Amino acid sequence: MIPDERRKEIVRQVNRSDRVTVEELTEEFGVSEATIRRDLSSLAEDGLIERFHGGALPASEKDGSSTADSIDNPSGKRAIAKRAVDELSDGDAVFFDTGPTAREIAKAIPEQLSLLAATNSPESAFELRETCGEVKVVGDSLRQTSDALVGPSAESYLRKTNFDIVFLETDAVQIDGGLSVSNEDEARIKTLLCEGGRHVILVADGSKLDSQSFREFATVEDIDMFITDVSLSDEMRAVFEQANVAVIDNLLAVP
């Protein structure tokens, strides 16, 4: 059974039974508990079910909105994540930056891959634990607005650590090729990620393009690949091409 069909059947079973457990669904579909947990996370984000520890309940109405409404452009971020995991190889040391797109990548990791995972995002750490087991979580203090862990210990760790892959997020991709975010502490972390990654992959949906935020932390010269959901304008594409960055775009047009 393909994943989409399995998830539709999970929703039907949850609505029919009023309550199902991860153990029951694992036995029913013959897949791992990690797979079922990822299915439940995806369905909960779409507002189709509600999760509880160890299982799921039918979705409840909340002012006519769903969980997915709180995530900007979920389909675009998932399309980026689906393509991004193709860059991973068994045994890679991988850092997952804070942000919803990197979190979607954490959810999309194939079960057969064994990775050394690190992140400064508590939310991504919980997702990575399902597939990667032990996860290195770095940072001293948790920012209220972004849920990013930042601080001196994170910066010290990143100065001494190299990663095969860095999945990098940004608040803005400027028309001159600058990458910027709204907070100086996060900017320092991202600068170090660019310096410590053998293959730095910027993952950002179309809402980040041709915009500008408070603190520039790098330029497109510091990354190796850009994965986005939309088709780039000629002007923006030229910025990446001049920096010899591999561009994967227009993902929502791919069936």
Side-chain angles (χ1 to χ4, degrees):
M1 180 180 293
I2 64 176
D4 283 346
E5 291 178 349
R6 183 178 64 245
R7 290 170 185 167
K8 289 178 183 177
E9 182 57 29
I10 288 173
V11 173
R12 284 193 285 267
Q13 290 201 23
V14 170
N15 290 332
R16 185 167 56 244
S17 304
D18 288 333
R19 175 190 174 100
V20 295
T21 67
V22 170
E23 183 178 358
E24 291 168 346
L25 293 172
T26 298
E27 183 175 350
E28 171 71 20
F29 294 102
V31 295
S32 71
E33 288 190 2
T35 295
I36 292 298
R37 290 193 184 97
R38 287 199 299 273
D39 287 344
L40 296 182
S41 293
S42 177
L43 292 170
E45 287 184 359
D46 285 339
L48 299 174
I49 63 167
E50 286 189 3
R51 290 198 64 181
F52 67 90
H53 183 69
L57 302 168
S60 61
E61 295 293 328
K62 296 183 180 179
D63 301 323
S65 63
S66 71
T67 305
D69 294 331
S70 64
I71 303 173
D72 183 37
N73 189 17
S75 60
K77 288 175 171 57
R78 288 174 189 159
I80 293 169
K82 182 178 179 181
R83 174 59 182 82
V85 295
D86 290 343
E87 298 301 311
L88 296 171
S89 299
D90 203 48
D92 278 347
V94 186
F95 194 96
F96 296 78
D97 196 4
T98 296
T101 306
R103 188 163 66 249
E104 288 297 330
I105 299 171
K107 295 178 185 178
I109 297 171
E111 290 183 60
Q112 66 270 22
L113 278 183
S114 176
L115 303 175
L116 298 174
T119 185
N120 64 330
S121 165
E123 290 182 317
S124 289
F126 284 112
E127 296 293 344
L128 291 165
R129 184 178 62 179
E130 303 294 341
T131 49
C132 301
E134 184 175 346
V135 181
K136 177 66 177 178
V137 181
V138 302
D140 306 276
S141 58
L142 183 66
R143 295 199 65 237
Q144 184 175 4
T145 55
S146 66
D147 288 337
L149 285 163
V150 295
S153 73
E155 294 172 25
S156 175
Y157 175 82
L158 293 176
R159 288 191 186 97
K160 301 173 184 177
T161 310
N162 299 312
F163 296 97
D164 297 301
I165 301 282
V166 168
F167 290 119
L168 181 74
E169 295 230 25
T170 185
D171 289 346
V173 182
Q174 300 164 194
I175 196 61
D176 64 357
L179 307 177
S180 53
V181 289
S182 60
N183 178 263
E184 292 181 342
D185 292 331
E186 290 190 54
R188 285 194 294 272
I189 296 291
K190 293 175 186 291
T191 297
L192 291 168
L193 288 174
C194 290
E195 294 172 355
R198 181 179 60 82
H199 192 56
V200 179
I201 303 176
L202 179 66
V203 289
D205 67 18
S207 67
K208 307 297 193 299
L209 297 172
D210 195 8
S211 60
Q212 187 171 359
S213 194
F214 171 67
R215 181 73 174 193
E216 185 172 314
F217 64 87
T219 73
V220 295
E221 299 278 352
D222 300 302
I223 66 172
D224 302 290
M225 176 177 284
F226 177 40
I227 305 178
T228 188
D229 56 330
V230 300
S231 180
L232 296 187
S233 67
D234 291 342
E235 186 176 14
M236 186 61 74
R237 188 180 301 278
V239 170
F240 286 96
E241 288 180 349
Q242 290 169 9
N244 294 317
V245 175
V247 173
I248 309 295
D249 66 337
N250 204 24
L251 290 174
L252 289 179
V254 179

